[in-house]
């Protein structure tokens, strides 16, 4: 039985400093649909659609920023090429290049399959304790 874990690390930073994050390793890469094809966060006016599989099965999109306000709820939808995916979203609030499992994990969702599309959906709420 095929067991795959798709982990999405999305780093949203409040400043323009660049960090070097972990590089995922895949046994199959995108061969079996393990990819994020689209990421949408409508209330933040962000839409990154139809990217398909990146070269080397991993894409770096560090030149894209999403502006979010503390305490507001931001729904997101991710489409990918395979069902039974687990998606996690982190935000590196302190820009230290690591993702703290307790304070920076913003979403952990399981995919669903409906209308011939595999999606993962959830909400991100930026903690109110963060400075603007």
């Amino acid at each position: 039985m095929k067991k795959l874990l798709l982990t999405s690390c999305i780093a949203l930073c409040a400043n323009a400093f660049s960090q070097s994050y972990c590089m995922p390793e895949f046994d199959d890469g995108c061969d079996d649909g393990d990819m994020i094809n689209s990421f949408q966060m409508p209330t933040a006016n962000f839409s990154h659609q139809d990217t398909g599989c990146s070269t080397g099965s991993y894409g770096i999109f560090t030149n894209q920023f999403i502006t979010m306000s503390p305490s507001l709820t931001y729904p997101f939808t991710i489409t990918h090429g395979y069902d039974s995916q687990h998606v996690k979203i982190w935000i590196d609030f302190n820009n230290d290049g690591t993702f703290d499992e307790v304070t920076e994990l913003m979403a952990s969702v399981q995919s669903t399959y409906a209308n011939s599309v595999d999606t993962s959906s959830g909400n991100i709420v930026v903690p109110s304790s963060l400075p603007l």
Side-chain angles (χ1 to χ4, degrees):
M1 174 176 224
K2 180 179 175 181
K3 294 182 181 179
L4 297 172
L5 176 65
L6 172 66
T7 302
S8 172
C9 299
I10 299 177
L12 306 173
C13 302
N15 56 42
F17 295 111
S18 175
Q19 288 296 339
S20 177
Y21 296 101
C22 62
M23 296 295 289
E25 295 181 25
F26 300 98
D27 291 335
D28 296 326
C30 298
D31 294 343
D32 295 319
D34 286 333
M35 65 186 153
I36 293 174
N37 193 44
S38 297
F39 180 83
Q40 296 180 42
M41 191 179 287
T43 56
N45 296 317
F46 187 83
S47 181
H48 188 83
Q49 300 232 359
D50 303 321
T51 58
C53 186
S54 297
T55 302
S57 305
Y58 181 72
I60 299 174
F61 303 101
T62 56
N63 62 340
Q64 298 174 341
F65 293 90
I66 301 173
T67 300
M68 302 167 71
S69 298
S71 300
L72 296 180
T73 299
Y74 293 91
F76 66 86
T77 302
I78 299 168
T79 60
H80 35 77
Y82 188 75
D83 60 356
S84 300
Q85 298 294 314
H86 303 274
V87 177
K88 292 184 176 186
I89 297 176
W90 287 267
I91 300 176
D92 187 10
F93 290 116
N94 60 2
N95 200 32
D96 67 354
T98 62
F99 296 109
D100 183 277
E101 193 76 22
V102 176
T103 61
E104 295 178 326
L105 178 61
M106 294 290 101
S108 180
V109 296
Q110 175 73 34
S111 65
T112 58
Y113 183 78
N115 302 320
S116 300
V117 178
D118 296 304
T119 62
S120 298
S121 298
N123 294 304
I124 294 175
V125 178
V126 177
S128 61
S129 61
L130 293 176
L132 293 176

